[in-house]
């Protein structure tokens, strides 16, 4: 269920369409920009303070979390970042690249989880697992690198929700997740991902670590949800071309066709004891 009233939803949908139109214009212009400046990249900050002083209290910490394989991004990705800051000016921003994700998990979680995380060979699967772990530890709001709020984020969340998940086409998704630290539903999701890694029977990122885990485990009627139409959209400012321009492997949907999502467990060969006598 969404906290937005039925009266406000048409306004939000209309606003979303205007944002999408303007964002698509910037995306189109970015092709010309990067044709002129093919090597130009913009740096996403590892950590950035709120643009405005925090106001009031909230169960969900006012932190936006994002991750990517690099912090050097194209103009569309950077504009997407700036727009999210504009829509959440009282939120802190925290960003991690691949190496920082691994370091965070090493610092905050036991060896078993670190070993399971290390078995994931595709960045998107690692990011799926990391977002659950970072929200369970610190709480806040996770957004995919191409996702953007379409309404002031503080208004969307309210003050008392404990877990908030976006829905798309009637199903739970994981590109927008908001939660307090220590949420028991996050722990259930973490444990399911651990099971999937250990079992290794699933071969698709979507089912093994991604939205499929949410769909299979959570009762959509039992957790607060909001339609992407009323909270957060994807791909308006950027697209796969601009996101993966510096990554030869491309998007996870392509990468998982040639790389197993979960690496096999290496079994050490036992060296037979030398029983010869001299």
């Amino acid at each position: 269920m969404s906290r937005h009233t039925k009266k406000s939803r048409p306004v939000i949908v209309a606003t979303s369409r205007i944002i999408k139109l303007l964002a698509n214009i910037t995306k189109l212009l970015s092709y010309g920009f990067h044709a002129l400046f093919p090597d130009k990249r913009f740096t996403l900050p590892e950590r950035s303070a709120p643009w405005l002083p925090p106001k009031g209290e909230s169960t969900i910490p006012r932190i936006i979390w994002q991750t990517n394989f690099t912090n050097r991004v194209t103009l569309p990705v950077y504009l997407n970042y700036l727009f999210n800051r504009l829509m959440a000016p009282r939120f802190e921003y925290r960003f991690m690249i691949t190496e920082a994700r691994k370091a965070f998990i090493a610092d905050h979680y036991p060896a078993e989880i670190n070993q399971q995380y290390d078995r994931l060979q595709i960045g998107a699967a690692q990011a799926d697992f990391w977002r659950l772990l970072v929200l369970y530890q610190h709480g806040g709001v996770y957004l995919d690198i191409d996702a953007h709020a379409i309404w002031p984020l503080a208004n969307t969340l309210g003050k008392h929700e404990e877990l908030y998940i976006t829905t798309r086409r009637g199903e739970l998704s994981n590109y927008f997740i908001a939660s307090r630290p220590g949420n028991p539903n996050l722990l259930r999701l973490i444990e399911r991902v651990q099971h999937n890694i250990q079992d290794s029977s699933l071969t698709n990122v979507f089912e093994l670590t991604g939205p499929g885990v949410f769909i299979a485990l959570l009762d959509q009627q039992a957790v607060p949800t909001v339609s992407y139409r009323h909270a957060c959209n994807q791909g308006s400012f950027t697209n796969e071309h601009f996101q993966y321009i510096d990554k030869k492997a491309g998007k996870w949907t392509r990468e998982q066709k040639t790389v197993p999502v979960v690496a096999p467990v290496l079994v050490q060969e036992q060296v037979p004891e030398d029983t010869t006598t001299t």
Side-chain angles (χ1 to χ4, degrees):
M1 59 180 177
S2 169
R3 72 178 300 273
H4 295 305
T5 65
K6 290 183 179 180
K7 187 179 294 186
S8 67
R9 290 176 190 174
V11 177
I12 297 172
V13 171
T15 302
S16 174
R17 289 174 179 170
I18 294 171
I19 292 170
K20 187 172 184 178
L21 173 62
L22 296 175
N24 273 282
I25 292 173
T26 67
K27 182 165 57 179
L28 183 62
L29 293 175
S30 292
Y31 282 99
F33 176 87
H34 280 288
L36 291 172
F37 307 101
D39 298 324
K40 178 63 178 177
R41 299 294 182 266
F42 300 83
T43 302
L44 295 178
E46 180 180 334
R47 191 165 184 159
S48 181
W51 286 4
L52 296 175
K55 186 178 180 181
E57 296 182 357
S58 172
T59 303
I60 298 173
R62 289 334 196 200
I63 306 170
I64 292 176
W65 296 94
Q66 287 193 303
T67 186
N68 194 37
F69 67 94
T70 177
N71 65 340
R72 300 285 292 163
V73 299
T74 56
L75 178 60
V77 176
Y78 193 70
L79 291 176
N80 192 90
Y81 153 76
L82 290 177
F83 187 78
N84 279 324
R85 298 308 311 274
L86 182 66
M87 297 298 278
R90 301 183 190 276
F91 283 61
E92 181 184 345
Y93 180 81
R94 299 187 192 179
F95 173 85
M96 293 188 190
I97 59 173
T98 305
E99 294 77 12
R101 291 197 308 258
K102 181 177 173 62
F104 167 82
I105 295 171
D107 288 343
H108 293 88
Y109 285 94
E112 181 182 10
I113 286 182
N114 279 268
Q115 291 165 2
Q116 291 163 341
Y117 179 83
D118 287 344
R119 290 184 63 194
L120 297 172
Q121 301 187 110
I122 294 180
Q126 295 173 355
D128 283 339
F129 198 12
W130 167 83
R131 74 191 64 177
L132 298 175
L133 296 170
V134 79
L135 289 178
Y136 187 75
Q137 183 71 30
H138 293 297
V141 182
Y142 169 83
L143 297 175
D144 269 2
I145 201 68
D146 66 338
H148 64 87
I150 60 173
W151 199 248
L153 195 53
N155 292 351
T156 297
L157 296 180
K159 296 182 178 180
H160 306 295
E161 304 291 7
E162 291 197 350
L163 179 67
Y164 213 56
I165 305 170
T166 191
T167 59
R168 193 163 192 167
R169 300 182 182 93
E171 292 189 323
L172 297 175
S173 186
N174 72 338
Y175 73 85
F176 168 94
I177 312 169
S179 178
R180 66 171 175 84
N183 191 293
N185 277 319
L186 283 178
L187 182 59
R188 292 174 61 209
L189 291 164
I190 290 168
E191 290 172 345
R192 177 60 66 92
V193 171
Q194 288 184 269
H195 167 79
N196 289 346
I197 295 171
Q198 195 67 29
D199 181 64
S200 299
S201 61
L202 298 173
T203 58
N204 186 290
V205 172
F206 183 94
E207 296 176 340
L208 200 149
T209 59
V213 178
F214 289 67
I215 295 168
L217 187 65
L218 298 180
D219 178 0
Q220 192 170 146
Q221 303 303 316
V223 295
T225 60
V226 60
S227 168
Y228 77 97
R229 297 180 185 276
H230 306 138
C232 182
N233 212 339
Q234 282 183 298
S236 301
F237 286 90
T238 185
N239 57 23
E240 291 182 23
H241 169 73
F242 290 118
Q243 287 174 245
Y244 302 103
I245 197 169
D246 296 321
K247 187 178 181 182
K248 292 182 180 179
K251 189 178 179 180
W252 63 267
T253 50
R254 171 184 167 189
E255 191 176 2
Q256 69 181 5
K257 293 179 181 179
T258 57
V259 178
V261 182
V262 180
V265 177
L266 297 178
V267 180
Q268 293 184 345
E269 294 184 5
Q270 293 185 351
V271 180
E273 294 182 4
D274 187 359
T275 56
T276 59
T277 57
T278 56

